[in-house]
Amino acid sequence: EAQVTQNPRYLITVTGKKLTVTCSQNMNHEYMSWYRQDPGLGLRQIYYSMNVEVTDKGDVPEGYKVSRKEKRNFPLILESPSPNQTSLYFCASSSNSGQGLEQYFGPGTRLTVT
Amino acid sequence: AQSVTQLGSHVSVSEGALVLLRCNYSSSVPPYLFWYVQYPNQGLQLLLKYTTGATLVKGINGFEAEFKKSETSFHLTKPSAHMSDAAEYFCAVRNSGGYQKVTFGIGTKLQVIP
């Protein structure tokens, strides 16, 4: 089954404690992206990756890091989380070519930073 | 820079009434346009998309949207609302050129009243 998986689904942590949210897709997609969803603000792109070892900032990259060492994985790293990073996070992937340009989303990770 | 405007963060319709969710975009190159739906506690899933060709596109669950270049609009419609349509709907634009940034609107929550 084609899917995007994220782990963990729920996470409560404290300010300053480094964490990683994993994202994996099994569709051989080149493009992967991270979003955060906040009430009244919709989805805002944090980082995206066009392919292995190619990443770029989205609209709200401050406080986040990403890496793309393998095509299927695109982890999101919060080196020193702060309460304003409490949010619902989504990973997504898509092809870069043809008509298959829509994104496939993971189920989301709800992060609370206290 | 590209942007998306969704008019009306909350829309209420009666069951059986027309659903109209508005989306206007700005893009410096021909856009790819998408509508996604998010049911409570779930990730986003594609409703429909416009890439090239026919400007009236049909999606799942009886929804359709029309790309109007002159009005820079991509409004989502459904002739008759069902209770199961209650969800949040997001319009998104993606650059058709080499730059693959995706921009989402803030979303419209659709309430269906029995």
Side-chain angles (χ1 to χ4, degrees):
Chain A
E1 179 191 352
Q3 61 181 352
V4 178
T5 57
Q6 293 179 229
N7 282 291
R9 294 288 313 279
Y10 302 90
L11 179 60
I12 301 174
T13 190
V14 296
T15 299
K17 186 177 181 181
K18 181 179 179 179
L19 67 90
T20 299
V21 184
T22 64
C23 173
S24 183
Q25 50 94 5
N26 63 1
M27 294 167 278
N28 201 36
H29 283 161
E30 297 87 2
Y31 182 90
M32 296 186 75
S33 183
W34 276 103
Y35 298 89
R36 60 178 290 174
Q37 183 179 15
D38 302 288
L41 297 176
L43 273 80
R44 294 179 292 168
Q45 192 172 45
I46 302 171
Y47 270 94
Y48 65 96
S49 170
M50 297 286 288
N51 215 323
V52 176
E53 302 291 1
V54 181
T55 62
D56 205 351
K57 296 177 181 179
D59 298 313
V60 288
E62 293 78 20
Y64 304 95
K65 284 177 58 177
V66 294
S67 67
R68 186 90 182 273
K69 293 182 170 53
E70 304 167 284
K71 198 172 186 180
R72 63 182 293 129
N73 296 323
F74 190 45
L76 179 69
I77 303 157
L78 285 72
E79 297 251 339
S80 183
S82 62
N84 64 12
Q85 292 178 299
T86 292
S87 187
L88 179 58
Y89 292 86
F90 289 101
C91 179
S93 73
S94 75
S95 170
N96 271 351
S97 61
Q99 295 297 306
L101 300 172
E102 66 268 27
Q103 293 186 83
Y104 293 78
F105 282 81
T109 295
R110 187 167 293 279
L111 172 66
T112 302
V113 183
T114 61
Chain B
Q2 61 196 30
S3 66
V4 175
T5 301
Q6 288 185 242
L7 285 177
S9 58
H10 290 80
V11 171
S12 294
V13 301
S14 298
E15 191 174 16
L18 171 72
V19 176
L20 170 60
L21 304 183
R22 299 179 185 274
C23 173
N24 289 89
Y25 70 91
S26 69
S27 176
S28 57
V29 297
Y32 294 143
L33 296 160
F34 307 85
W35 275 100
Y36 290 86
V37 61
Q38 183 181 31
Y39 298 104
N41 300 314
Q42 294 186 27
L44 281 72
Q45 58 182 276
L46 182 72
L47 262 183
L48 49 79
K49 65 180 179 182
Y50 169 79
T51 53
T52 58
T55 56
L56 181 63
V57 293
K58 296 186 185 299
I60 61 172
N61 301 336
F63 284 92
E64 62 182 37
E66 185 171 12
F67 169 57
K68 292 188 177 180
K69 184 178 179 180
S70 61
E71 298 177 9
T72 61
S73 69
F74 192 56
H75 301 330
L76 181 71
T77 61
K78 181 174 180 178
S80 176
H82 295 166
M83 296 298 295
S84 59
D85 294 328
E88 190 158 19
Y89 294 80
F90 292 91
C91 182
V93 60
R94 182 170 183 173
N95 195 309
S96 62
Y99 186 51
Q100 298 285 355
K101 189 178 187 303
V102 180
T103 302
F104 282 80
I106 64 169
T108 298
K109 277 192 177 169
L110 177 66
Q111 180 186 22
V112 182
I113 303 166

